[in-house]
Amino acid sequence: MDHCDVLIVGAGPVGTTLALELALQGVSFRIIDKSPARSEKSRALIVHPRTLELLDRHGTVGQLISRGTITRGGVLNINRKLVARMNLDDLDITDTRYPLPLMVSQAETEQFLDESLADYGKAVERAYTATSVVQDANGVTTTLEKPDGTQTTVRSKYVVGCDGAHSLVRHSAQNLSFDGDAYPQDFILCDARLRNSSVARDRFTICFGDTGLLAFFPIQSSHSESKGEEGLIRLIASGGRSVLKDSSGSGSGSPVVPAAEQQQQQQQRQHGEQTHEPPTLAHFQSLVDSIAPPGSGTVHSPIWLARFRLHHRGVNSYRSDRLFVAGDAAHIHSPAGGQGMNVGIQDAINLGWKLGTVLKYRDSLTEEAREALLDSYHAERYPVGRALLQGTDRIFSFTAAATSWVLKVRNTVLPWVMPWLVGMKWIRKRFYGFISGFGTTYSGLASAGESCVVGGGDGVNTSWSSWLWSSSSSSSSSSLSLRPEKVSSGDRLPDGKVIELGRRSHGGITASDLLAKSEETSLHQLCRGASWHLLLFSGIGGTEGRDAVTVEGLTLAGERVLAVVKSECSVHCIFDYHATEEDRGSSAGQQGQQRPGDGQLQPVQTATATTTATATATGKSAAVASTYTDPGGRVHGVLGLDNGRAGYVMVRPDGYVSHVGYLPSLQEFIKEWETRVCL
């Protein structure tokens, strides 16, 4: 019998991402998949900005971006006429390196994930099929079978099902249901090339007609066309069976299928699988000629033609004791917004660091703390999956309507409504927060007692419409004095550039000397790795500087936090810098009294990431604090700390804010960490 800490069943994008997270955390795992090789089919096409940010923690995501096409917006056509152009590149999103979605084949995404996993010295074990998963109080026993019939048994502490809609892991849990239904429409797809086409290659195109919809999604990077090649493009059409009947000229409808095959097809349809004969290139050319605007081109050189049916289902719990589910094993839904793979990848990232923490620090954490952390996976991700199902279902039911009267209403109303909607930037920005993943927040779960790794704060509506209609923050008057307004506990950490001054333990040095030797970095880059990150901000003191804190003051604050943190934690001190000639002159000869905004900086004392006692008890290695400047106070402003008050931001290993507040409330944070977080 083989042993490991975690067995991952299923090695699609979700399972491989989970493997990356566990490799980063340094725990033992195995990842198996029944397929002998990766599929070359494009499948899921969109990698959204938040996913790009999170994947960049494991490698240069630019390598993936170079294999696809950055999408700058969308085009809507109705009855072969242009109705609206929606831009995504004018939304003033400046707190990220990746403001726009990437259109790329899932095959390329999986290759990138495999390459990133190989950098950790790990790989997927292929041609292993899990046939039995049985858990008990102490672990999980899983039986694996090879194609030749030989079997092996794996004993692990936890098993994670990333094995899709038919998940064996989910079926092996006694208390997990997977409720939902199928959409009535069939759909057909074609990955091919377009000749003499006016279809945009830097944005998706949706065409509505009286018989349904036709969508174009560019897959291949536009650089291929510069070499005289036509880029690959995905075409999807609704009403697959009626389209085939109409375009073939036959009035007999669907072909007669034997009863046994009909039953098998019904089971396949329930999970969005191809059900019968694929469409032909002629079917798609007929759609292009009848639904798309004139000049949309000629479809040729197809590499994948398929028919499928979509389903919307969700699991009632993401955890059953030692069994977990993620991705399609937990939720399947329409492709509206291209959310499926992205939400699954983010499921894996949320779960990965929590499993890693429980396994690495199991001797220093109480059983209650370990269980609370693992329970927070369901508490945080279930509302996201539920909101996704609700949002995509409503969008999809309207845009891919199957009845003729809804089609007529849609095609009559949208030409009047859509130009008005896409012309309002704030509506586009709200909606894009939902689509991009930037709007995903776990805020409010602390007050409900559901997540131990989200600090106290005001609740946020997790319904799909909250991203569109709610304000960005809703703080009560009592919380304004304790927490900044722009970022709440549970929110994504926004990115911003800072200048690293390094780790220094002694010596007075001028700001000019430091800046001459400094390097530019960003919040996301310095918050990489397996550890927690404590960001300490001096505040912007302005001309008075009464509330700004010295570097020594921030270091002392960091030491107070590290004394109670059992997990690995890195400390980063970030202060405002105004190096004017007046500052340099007035601060000369006054070491020991300067504030962080002065031209002469204080000697910076290094701070260990753990106290000596804690480091000895947990086996953690000590680290030192890094210091950074925030020229112009831009990062302070993004976080709402530009009002002259020093503050702290505790960042989880998955890049979300656990706790945030002003420095005077630090003791409350420490108390909450000791009594509720306990990590």
Side-chain angles (χ1 to χ4, degrees):
M1 180 180 292
D2 298 328
H3 293 80
C4 63
D5 285 335
V6 181
L7 175 65
I8 304 170
V9 180
V14 177
T16 311
T17 298
L18 178 59
L20 284 172
E21 293 297 313
L22 296 178
L24 176 66
Q25 293 291 332
V27 300
S28 67
F29 69 90
R30 292 180 64 182
I31 175 170
I32 61 104
D33 196 275
K34 63 183 179 181
S35 300
R38 292 281 189 198
S39 171
E40 296 181 354
K41 300 295 190 296
S42 59
R43 294 158 292 152
L45 292 183
I46 302 177
V47 183
H48 281 298
R50 182 55 178 157
T51 305
L52 291 173
E53 286 184 338
L54 293 170
L55 292 180
D56 198 35
R57 297 157 54 248
H58 294 285
T60 306
V61 82
Q63 297 175 4
L64 176 61
I65 293 174
S66 67
R67 303 172 188 178
T69 300
I70 292 295
T71 304
R72 303 189 178 279
V75 177
L76 176 63
N77 301 301
I78 297 180
N79 292 328
R80 308 193 74 192
K81 295 180 180 180
L82 176 66
V83 169
R85 290 176 62 90
M86 180 183 68
N87 294 322
L88 299 177
D89 54 3
D90 65 345
L91 298 180
D92 304 322
I93 300 174
T94 59
D95 63 351
T96 179
R97 296 175 61 194
Y98 309 107
L100 296 170
L102 174 70
M103 206 80 71
V104 65
S105 166
Q106 183 176 322
E108 297 287 359
T109 301
E110 290 176 343
Q111 182 178 347
F112 168 77
L113 293 172
D114 283 342
E115 292 167 355
S116 299
L117 189 59
D119 290 339
Y120 289 102
K122 306 291 184 179
V124 175
E125 299 178 54
R126 297 206 161 272
Y128 279 99
T129 299
T131 59
S132 172
V133 178
V134 180
Q135 65 172 321
D136 54 51
N138 300 314
V140 187
T141 301
T142 304
T143 302
L144 306 180
E145 185 174 296
K146 294 284 285 183
D148 61 4
T150 58
Q151 293 186 338
T152 183
T153 303
V154 178
R155 183 68 174 172
S156 59
K157 295 181 176 66
Y158 303 99
V159 170
V160 184
C162 303
D163 46 346
H166 301 285
S167 174
L168 173 72
V169 177
R170 189 186 65 244
H171 287 302
S172 300
Q174 296 181 352
N175 58 342
L176 299 188
S177 62
F178 200 48
D179 298 328
D181 204 352
Y183 289 105
Q185 309 97 317
D186 281 352
F187 293 83
I188 55 176
L189 71 81
C190 173
D191 287 354
R193 302 181 189 277
L194 285 176
R195 183 184 299 116
N196 301 324
S197 175
S198 61
V199 174
R201 295 308 179 101
D202 62 347
R203 57 192 64 223
F204 61 87
T205 300
I206 307 295
C207 303
F208 291 137
D210 292 336
T211 59
L213 73 83
L214 174 66
F216 298 85
F217 298 95
I219 301 175
Q220 208 167 54
S221 178
S222 59
H223 67 72
S224 61
E225 295 185 28
S226 66
K227 301 177 182 179
E229 303 173 7
E230 297 167 327
L232 199 64
I233 197 163
R234 160 78 56 84
L235 292 84
I236 293 181
S238 65
R241 292 200 175 274
S242 62
V243 166
L244 293 182
K245 178 178 66 176
D246 293 342
S247 63
S248 64
S250 172
S252 60
S254 300
V256 177
V257 182
E261 189 175 348
Q262 288 182 11
Q263 182 178 4
Q264 181 182 11
Q265 290 176 13
Q266 178 64 26
Q267 294 175 347
Q268 291 175 323
R269 288 193 188 101
Q270 289 180 353
H271 301 293
E273 295 182 1
Q274 183 175 330
T275 58
H276 199 58
E277 78 286 349
T280 66
L281 196 63
H283 299 146
F284 278 96
Q285 189 61 57
S286 175
L287 286 167
V288 171
D289 293 340
S290 62
I291 298 180
S296 294
T298 302
V299 188
H300 70 100
S301 305
I303 63 173
W304 187 26
L305 290 152
R307 178 177 310 119
F308 59 97
R309 198 170 191 185
L310 298 169
H311 211 247
H312 50 103
R313 288 182 178 270
V315 74
N316 62 320
S317 177
Y318 283 40
R319 181 189 183 193
S320 176
D321 297 325
R322 293 181 176 273
L323 305 182
F324 300 83
V325 290
D328 285 353
H331 44 75
I332 55 174
H333 45 82
S334 86
Q339 297 288 292
M341 181 182 69
N342 291 270
V343 173
I345 286 174
Q346 292 171 40
D347 288 344
I349 291 170
N350 185 285
L351 177 60
W353 75 267
K354 295 173 180 178
L355 283 172
T357 298
V358 166
L359 292 166
K360 284 196 301 183
Y361 303 110
R362 55 180 172 263
D363 294 334
S364 59
L365 300 179
T366 65
E367 181 179 359
E368 182 181 6
R370 296 195 300 268
E371 289 301 303
L373 182 59
L374 294 179
D375 283 343
S376 72
Y377 169 59
H378 168 81
E380 293 180 355
R381 296 307 299 174
Y382 175 77
V384 174
R386 182 180 58 192
L388 175 68
L389 286 169
Q390 293 173 347
T392 57
D393 183 59
R394 295 180 186 183
I395 296 171
F396 186 76
S397 297
F398 181 70
T399 58
T403 59
S404 59
W405 72 269
V406 176
L407 288 173
K408 291 180 180 179
V409 171
R410 181 196 67 192
N411 295 347
T412 301
V413 171
L414 287 184
W416 294 91
V417 174
M418 286 305 297
W420 174 75
L421 286 177
V422 301
M424 302 182 70
K425 182 182 291 188
W426 72 270
I427 290 182
R428 281 186 287 126
K429 195 167 185 176
R430 289 288 184 191
F431 184 73
Y432 189 56
F434 168 64
I435 295 296
S436 65
F438 288 149
T440 298
T441 178
Y442 310 127
S443 178
L445 294 178
S447 59
E450 297 178 6
S451 177
C452 63
V453 284
V454 176
D458 299 293
V460 174
N461 185 1
T462 57
S463 70
W464 75 275
S465 57
S466 67
W467 283 288
L468 182 59
W469 301 116
S470 67
S471 61
S472 59
S473 177
S474 56
S475 301
S476 65
S477 58
S478 61
S479 67
L480 289 176
S481 61
L482 299 178
R483 290 180 292 273
E485 296 181 42
K486 293 185 179 180
V487 174
S488 299
S489 300
D491 288 352
R492 156 191 171 266
L493 176 72
D495 202 7
K497 293 181 179 179
V498 293
I499 297 178
E500 182 176 9
L501 301 181
R503 300 173 171 89
R504 292 169 171 80
S505 59
H506 57 20
I509 187 169
T510 65
S512 298
D513 291 336
L514 285 176
L515 292 174
K517 302 176 182 179
S518 63
E519 294 184 2
E520 185 178 271
T521 183
S522 72
L523 292 186
H524 283 189
Q525 287 176 311
L526 65 92
C527 288
R528 287 179 175 177
S531 70
W532 291 74
H533 294 269
L534 177 63
L535 307 178
L536 296 168
F537 293 86
S538 68
I540 298 177
T543 57
E544 297 294 331
R546 288 190 297 265
D547 295 321
V549 177
T550 63
V551 177
E552 287 84 348
L554 296 183
T555 302
L556 178 60
E559 290 174 342
R560 292 172 61 194
V561 173
L562 294 172
V564 301
V565 175
K566 300 175 183 178
S567 305
E568 182 182 358
C569 182
S570 301
V571 179
H572 312 279
C573 300
I574 303 172
F575 52 91
D576 180 32
Y577 169 65
H578 297 285
T580 64
E581 292 300 324
E582 181 180 354
D583 286 332
R584 293 191 182 96
S586 62
S587 63
Q590 298 180 11
Q591 288 194 18
Q593 299 179 12
Q594 292 85 6
R595 64 182 190 272
D598 288 335
Q600 180 96 5
L601 300 180
Q602 289 284 358
V604 179
Q605 199 70 27
T606 57
T608 59
T610 60
T611 62
T612 303
T614 305
T616 302
T618 62
K620 294 182 297 181
S621 59
V624 294
S626 295
T627 56
Y628 306 83
T629 64
D630 176 20
R634 290 184 294 273
V635 171
H636 280 75
V638 167
L639 295 169
L641 294 169
D642 53 350
N643 56 0
R645 305 182 66 182
Y648 63 88
V649 180
M650 190 66 156
V651 184
R652 309 184 331 181
D654 62 352
Y656 283 86
V657 174
S658 167
H659 294 74
V660 58
Y662 295 118
L663 216 54
S665 66
L666 186 68
Q667 188 57 41
E668 296 180 23
F669 160 54
I670 292 173
K671 182 178 179 180
E672 182 177 357
W673 190 279
E674 289 183 295
T675 58
R676 195 171 70 88
V677 182
C678 306
L679 298 179

